[in-house]
Amino acid sequence: MKKIIVSLIVLATTFVGCNTELDINSDPDLLDPNNAPLSAQLPSGIVGIVGSEGAGMAIFGGFWSQYWTQSNAANQFKDIDNYSAGTADYNFIWDGMYDGLGDIRNVKRRALAEGNWKYYLIATTLEVQASQILTDMYGSIPYKEANNVLILEPKFNTGEEVYTYMIEDLNDALSRDLSASSGPNPGADDLIFGSNPTTQMENWTKFANTLKLKVYMRQSNSSRAAIASAGITQMINDGVEFLDVDAAMTQFSDAINQSNPLYEYVIRRLNVATNLRMSTTLSSYLINNSDPRKSAFYNSGNSLNQGDYNNTVGAGTIATVKLSATTPVLLMSKEESLFLQAEAMIRYNGGTGAKALYDAAVSANFSRHGSSAAAFLTGAYAFPDAGTFDQKLEAIITQKWVAGFPGNGFEAFFDTNRTGYPRTSTVPQSDLAYVPGQLAYAVNGSTGGSFPKRIVYPLSERNANPNTPTLIPITTPIWWDN
């Protein structure tokens, strides 16, 4: 995985190579963090986060949201598919995220000291984006003391603390006057929104606002539901603007070391293009609704029931997952933003505007995959505007689940834990009573019928930091999942 991150750094520097301050022959991690230009450190941080989220997190998310299942002709990801991934597995996800956050937090620290509010907003937004995923996947994480060269054994903050800090940090960054920003402006080193002076910082502001909305929404069913209600209601009343474009890294090409990290990891590094197979869960939902997105997600063939990798019947007929070298890594998609807004409307604004936001989100995802949603929005996927709250929520979260394919399944996993949608099947997928699209316990599951709720802390952190919490079972819910 480290090789993927280094490769992404090479790719990133290709796009900012016109900046004479950046030596593309030097690893940005080896530059002096106190004197290297912010334009050199920012892309290094971005690709560290993108590399981990776009490969390792995407792999876990795809399995646990049941977009794909382990091939019955290979065994690379059996431990994820059967819920047995342990402390010695996939350490690169944690290490890569914190490696990227080290650069991001150094940009933030220096931007604050220099009064460069543009870089400060960008760095804070990226810090929160990565930290939200880390805390939602692991629970307690180092936050306040993380990536501090003077603190080698950082304290772990509880999930509740991290959520409080994330809101505080976003509010602080959003309160700064961008027109009074000093120092250089972000340029081509901004690998997410580019250097268009007309839209760049406007998009970062909208991204920060939408992350706030997500952080509040994640708490909507928790002991801090009142905090979520107050925060989101205030944002609605203030007329805050949310993200209306993708927050994404798009600079990938179909070449070694320059492709999408999920593609790079699965297809190029592991060299097993057939490892990920079409899961019955998502494919049955798409087939049942005659959804054209199925052909964009999977090659032709049959599906495999989730976790049924020991089944060799018709092994050669099981469809593989379609992955592309040039697929963007979406830190947040336009669709996710619209679905979040639609949920906010049904929870905190009497449903006003929810249908339009939902329709726009579904349409955007169909368009992403070369199809039109028009007929579906008056048919199979019509928003239940006159329905109950639960019917509306199920429609939103179910379509949000589909829209997360392929790289954002971890967000769908979090949403399922938070809302209960998609629903969980009461029967195995081999049963004729199975309802298409319902999540099914893996055939070879190792946890006695309980679904995973988190990734366990990696051995790399447990060996290096005595503050690492004691081992928490993979089936223990995150604090907001109650």
Side-chain angles (χ1 to χ4, degrees):
M1 185 62 192
K2 182 66 175 178
K3 291 181 179 178
I4 295 176
I5 294 174
V6 171
S7 299
L8 283 169
I9 290 172
V10 173
L11 172 62
T13 55
T14 299
F15 289 91
V16 294
C18 57
N19 186 335
T20 58
E21 295 179 313
L22 182 61
D23 178 1
I24 64 172
N25 295 310
S26 298
D27 182 347
D29 284 343
L30 301 179
L31 299 177
D32 181 353
N34 295 312
N35 295 308
L38 299 179
S39 61
Q41 294 182 64
L42 179 63
S44 178
I46 290 173
V47 298
I49 292 170
V50 163
S52 292
E53 292 181 19
M57 287 289 191
I59 289 288
F60 271 89
F63 276 105
W64 289 355
S65 288
Q66 302 191 5
Y67 296 161
W68 49 66
T69 188
Q70 171 62 53
S71 171
N72 50 6
N75 59 15
Q76 181 67 41
F77 301 115
K78 284 183 178 180
D79 55 348
I80 301 179
D81 209 4
N82 67 17
Y83 320 141
S84 65
T87 60
D89 304 311
Y90 308 102
N91 284 207
F92 62 75
I93 299 175
W94 177 279
D95 298 343
M97 289 288 274
Y98 274 104
D99 184 59
L101 278 167
D103 292 305
I104 294 301
R105 285 183 165 126
N106 197 55
V107 170
K108 178 184 175 181
R109 176 183 63 80
R110 288 185 51 197
L112 176 63
E114 297 167 14
N116 192 319
W117 306 131
K118 294 180 179 180
Y119 272 102
Y120 187 67
L121 175 61
I122 291 173
T124 301
T125 304
L126 290 167
E127 175 189 35
V128 169
Q129 190 276 338
S131 298
Q132 173 254 309
I133 294 171
L134 279 166
T135 190
D136 286 351
M137 192 63 95
Y138 291 95
S140 299
I141 61 169
Y143 188 88
K144 277 296 186 182
E145 295 184 355
N147 303 114
N148 185 331
V149 295
L150 300 179
I151 303 175
L152 299 181
E153 298 173 353
K155 170 188 174 183
F156 277 64
N157 296 110
T158 66
E160 294 95 324
E161 289 173 337
V162 173
Y163 264 65
T164 296
Y165 297 146
M166 290 191 296
I167 292 294
E168 290 175 351
D169 287 348
L170 287 171
N171 284 339
D172 177 56
L174 286 165
S175 72
R176 306 292 178 160
D177 184 359
L178 297 180
S179 66
S181 181
S182 62
N185 290 318
D189 54 307
D190 176 1
L191 302 178
I192 305 302
F193 292 119
S195 55
N196 185 328
T198 304
T199 60
Q200 182 185 38
M201 296 314 301
E202 177 183 341
N203 284 334
W204 278 107
T205 298
K206 290 179 179 179
F207 188 16
N209 286 332
T210 315
L211 279 174
K212 268 184 65 177
L213 177 61
K214 181 195 285 190
V215 171
Y216 278 132
M217 191 69 73
R218 194 62 35 92
Q219 303 173 83
S220 58
N221 292 335
S222 75
S223 59
R224 291 157 60 105
I227 294 175
S229 177
I232 295 174
T233 300
Q234 186 66 54
M235 295 181 82
I236 293 171
N237 291 340
D238 289 346
V240 167
E241 293 187 333
F242 299 107
L243 197 63
D244 52 7
V245 296
D246 292 336
M249 184 171 172
T250 63
Q251 301 92 338
F252 302 111
S253 62
D254 190 4
I256 295 175
N257 298 333
Q258 298 188 49
S259 55
N260 167 281
L262 180 60
Y263 184 92
E264 185 78 21
Y265 182 48
V266 174
I267 306 299
R268 298 197 195 280
R269 302 294 179 183
L270 298 179
N271 197 28
V272 185
T274 60
N275 228 324
L276 304 182
R277 299 299 181 114
M278 179 170 72
S279 171
T280 294
T281 310
L282 177 56
S283 65
S284 66
Y285 177 81
L286 299 174
I287 292 169
N288 190 59
N289 290 292
S290 301
D291 192 321
R293 289 177 291 183
K294 176 180 175 292
S295 62
F297 295 175
Y298 307 108
N299 292 302
S300 61
N302 298 319
S303 69
L304 186 64
N305 291 343
Q306 193 68 38
D308 197 16
Y309 48 74
N310 288 330
N311 185 350
T312 59
V313 176
T317 70
I318 307 301
T320 53
V321 174
K322 284 186 177 180
L323 296 178
S324 170
T326 57
T327 298
V329 171
L330 300 166
L331 298 183
M332 178 177 286
S333 68
K334 175 182 178 180
E335 297 96 295
E336 183 182 358
S337 173
L338 289 165
F339 282 126
L340 278 167
Q341 294 173 65
E343 184 178 350
M345 293 301 108
I346 66 168
R347 284 188 184 276
Y348 306 110
N349 200 41
T352 301
K355 180 182 184 303
L357 290 161
Y358 168 88
D359 287 355
V362 176
S363 295
N365 193 251
F366 269 76
S367 295
R368 187 184 298 278
H369 299 292
S371 301
S372 170
F376 291 87
L377 291 174
T378 58
Y381 301 152
F383 186 71
D385 214 16
T388 65
F389 169 82
D390 285 337
Q391 289 171 330
K392 294 174 184 177
L393 181 63
E394 182 172 14
I396 291 169
I397 300 301
T398 301
Q399 283 302 310
K400 192 178 177 187
W401 166 62
V402 179
F405 185 97
N408 292 74
F410 49 84
E411 282 295 340
F413 170 69
F414 301 147
D415 273 333
T416 296
N417 292 337
R418 177 175 65 91
T419 69
Y421 300 119
R423 297 174 186 266
T424 299
S425 179
T426 59
V427 298
Q429 289 179 319
S430 58
D431 194 304
L432 292 177
Y434 171 72
V435 177
Q438 291 192 348
L439 301 174
Y441 184 74
V443 172
N444 289 290
S446 64
T447 55
S450 297
F451 284 85
K453 297 290 186 178
R454 62 172 70 222
I455 301 176
V456 296
Y457 293 115
L459 195 62
S460 58
E461 185 69 13
R462 292 172 61 82
N463 287 340
N465 187 354
N467 291 317
T468 306
T470 56
L471 186 64
I472 301 173
I474 200 172
T475 54
T476 301
I478 299 298
W479 67 272
W480 43 254
D481 178 14
N482 52 29

